[in-house]
Amino acid sequence: MENLLNVEHLTTVFRTYEGEVTAVNDVSFYVKKGEILGLVGESGCGKSVTSLSVMGLLPRKNSRIRSGSIVFDGQELTTLPRKAYDELRGNALAMIFQEPMTSLNPVFTIENQLREVIRNHDRSVSRQECRNRIQEVLNKVGIPGAENVMKQYPHQLSGGMRQRVMISMALINHSKLLIADEPTTALDVTIQAQILQLLKKLAKEEEMSIILITHDLSVVAEVCDRVQVMYCGRFVETASREAFFESPMHPYSKGLLKCIPYIGMSDQELYHIPGNVMHPADDEGGCSFAPRCPDADERCRASVAPMTEAAQGHYVRCFRCGASPMTSTEKEESDVSAGNE
Ligand SMILES: Nc1ncnc2c1ncn2[C@@H]1O[C@H](COP(=O)(O)OP(=O)(O)OP(=O)(O)O)[C@@H](O)[C@H]1O
Ligand SMILES: [Mg+2]
């Protein structure tokens, strides 16, 4: 399968009062056609900045892509003129956020908003034709009673319905890549499961590629084909979903997996990774996870390991764990946490 998106050595920086902060540090990844790629990592590790860099939506006043390349559908995006980027975003590239209300206009009905999306493409589409297409797409994203919903305003819909409307916009546009940034975090678990199933269906049936940003590994387990784990602006592990859950390698990934609660566990058993995410100002050139890592040695504190292929298609950035997947006791513990007993 060909790659729809190829990101190479992307570095994105912010100007702050404390100096320049590198939010995304030399990140390389790809997304294949029809694939769901999960991007996971703790708050502040750079997941949203990575996706905003791809979408061309970084705040202009204090951030920029310092280096690297983003090739989407054969086109280099980092040098794309603003107008062409705007057009791309309305079409082949789409993004949805945690709170769909921020992207929907409260004063227009759903029909009006979706019609606008269609007409942005093609002014000549008649009102009736728009209506038919909107109905069709709302049915496709599983909105019952599409005819009524079209007449409603965003605030009249539930969070799950609003998110479906957002997804329908990407469908109307025949978007090739959908970046979903925590799309289900604000929803209750049953609605979350429905939205995730919808994304999975779209990836398969419409061959839409999806980057799913989440800090919830159960979401990854449910829908993603591949996983990238991010820590302090860098990717530390990349693997297929199966390989990631079967044999995670990076100590941070293992820690994340141990953090998954399971039914019947006591409060004492609830695990958290000790320590805090390192402040960029404390970066002395070593592995950012070293201060929290039980296995870190001098080399880890002095330099950053390269991303190496430890098993086929399974990459990890760690001096200590390239050749040593989880020990059997660690594996048992994480199986219990993931409910795979
Ligand atoms: N507008 C901004 N101004 C300055 N720095 C920013 C800004 N937005 C992000 N950053 C920096 O980029 C880093 C990465 O932020 P990002 O929003 O990508 O994190 P995230 O992984 O999406 O976190 P979360 O899970 O909380 O959404 C932050 O730690 C912060 O230092
Ligand atoms: Mg974010």
Side-chain angles (χ1 to χ4, degrees):
M1 230 185 321
E2 63 191 279
N3 293 346
L4 177 69
L5 179 75
N6 257 321
V7 175
E8 299 275 347
H9 304 296
L10 175 71
T11 298
T12 303
V13 295
F14 280 89
R15 224 178 20 251
T16 69
Y17 289 115
E18 293 164 338
E20 209 172 61
V21 173
T22 306
V24 170
N25 198 345
D26 195 19
V27 155
S28 300
F29 67 102
Y30 63 88
V31 185
K32 289 185 210 159
K33 225 169 150 186
E35 168 182 63
I36 306 188
L37 176 70
L39 200 53
V40 292
E42 257 164 3
S43 188
C45 70
K47 304 181 296 294
S48 295
V49 174
T50 303
S51 56
L52 294 175
S53 306
V54 173
M55 292 297 294
L57 288 175
L58 288 168
R60 272 168 211 284
K61 61 178 194 317
N62 67 341
S63 64
R64 67 189 170 94
I65 292 178
R66 189 165 61 197
S67 54
S69 130
I70 303 171
V71 176
F72 170 70
D73 209 10
Q75 196 171 23
E76 174 61 56
L77 298 188
T78 53
T79 50
L80 199 66
R82 200 191 288 197
K83 198 159 173 288
Y85 225 136
D86 288 344
E87 252 163 51
L88 197 65
R89 241 188 333 261
N91 298 310
L93 266 178
M95 186 159 180
I96 57 175
F97 299 91
Q98 181 172 335
E99 183 34 81
M101 209 53 198
T102 50
S103 316
L104 289 166
N105 192 327
V107 300
F108 291 113
T109 62
I110 300 304
E111 180 176 359
N112 281 342
Q113 308 202 30
L114 292 178
R115 188 190 310 123
E116 209 37 47
V117 173
I118 295 175
R119 290 203 173 153
N120 270 342
H121 258 292
D122 181 358
R123 284 272 140 211
S124 68
V125 186
S126 75
R127 218 180 156 84
Q128 188 54 47
E129 165 73 18
C130 281
R131 188 165 292 166
N132 295 343
R133 278 170 61 181
I134 293 169
Q135 257 189 24
E136 187 191 329
V137 90
L138 290 180
N139 285 331
K140 218 177 219 175
V141 297
I143 293 186
E147 202 151 336
N148 281 331
V149 170
M150 282 162 71
K151 293 188 208 122
Q152 294 187 309
Y153 292 88
H155 74 269
Q156 294 174 290
L157 303 179
S158 67
M161 285 298 160
R162 287 200 284 260
Q163 203 58 289
R164 286 178 200 266
V165 170
M166 287 308 301
I167 295 170
S168 73
M169 285 191 185
L171 263 181
I172 282 186
N173 281 322
H174 303 290
S175 298
K176 293 180 178 171
L177 176 67
L178 173 68
I179 302 186
D181 194 346
E182 307 267 5
T184 60
T185 309
L187 306 173
D188 68 56
V189 283
T190 47
I191 307 293
Q192 162 167 312
Q194 291 169 7
I195 297 284
L196 293 176
Q197 286 314 314
L198 172 63
L199 292 177
K200 212 167 160 176
K201 187 177 104 169
L202 294 181
K204 204 163 169 216
E205 290 175 7
E206 312 281 326
E207 277 214 315
M208 196 187 270
S209 306
I210 299 175
I211 299 179
L212 183 61
I213 299 179
T214 177
H215 52 250
D216 186 345
L217 284 177
S218 60
V219 168
V220 172
E222 204 162 325
V223 293
C224 294
D225 299 304
R226 267 188 318 122
V227 194
Q228 312 245 74
V229 183
M230 203 169 187
Y231 190 80
C232 279
R234 283 196 185 90
F235 284 147
V236 295
E237 185 159 358
T238 301
S240 69
R241 175 186 52 186
E242 291 74 18
F244 179 75
F245 286 99
E246 287 267 308
S247 49
M249 292 184 185
H250 197 280
Y252 175 61
S253 309
K254 292 182 190 177
L256 277 181
L257 282 163
K258 273 169 89 176
C259 292
I260 301 177
Y262 58 92
I263 293 169
M265 80 193 294
S266 69
D267 286 354
Q268 289 76 28
E269 285 173 291
L270 194 58
Y271 179 80
H272 70 278
I273 302 174
N276 288 312
V277 176
M278 188 176 71
H279 190 273
D282 298 330
D283 188 352
E284 287 175 352
C287 168
S288 319
F289 192 63
R292 303 171 81 180
C293 180
D295 300 330
D297 61 13
E298 274 322 299
R299 188 158 63 139
C300 305
R301 282 182 274 274
S303 57
V304 177
M307 219 38 177
T308 34
E309 189 167 16
Q312 206 199 348
H314 193 152
Y315 293 82
V316 63
R317 186 190 291 287
C318 178
F319 289 124
R320 301 300 311 267
C321 60
S324 61
M326 249 189 193
T327 62
S328 51
T329 20
E330 282 171 328
K331 168 102 173 59
E332 263 166 40
E333 282 171 19
S334 93
D335 274 354
V336 173
S337 330
N340 298 339
E341 273 178 294

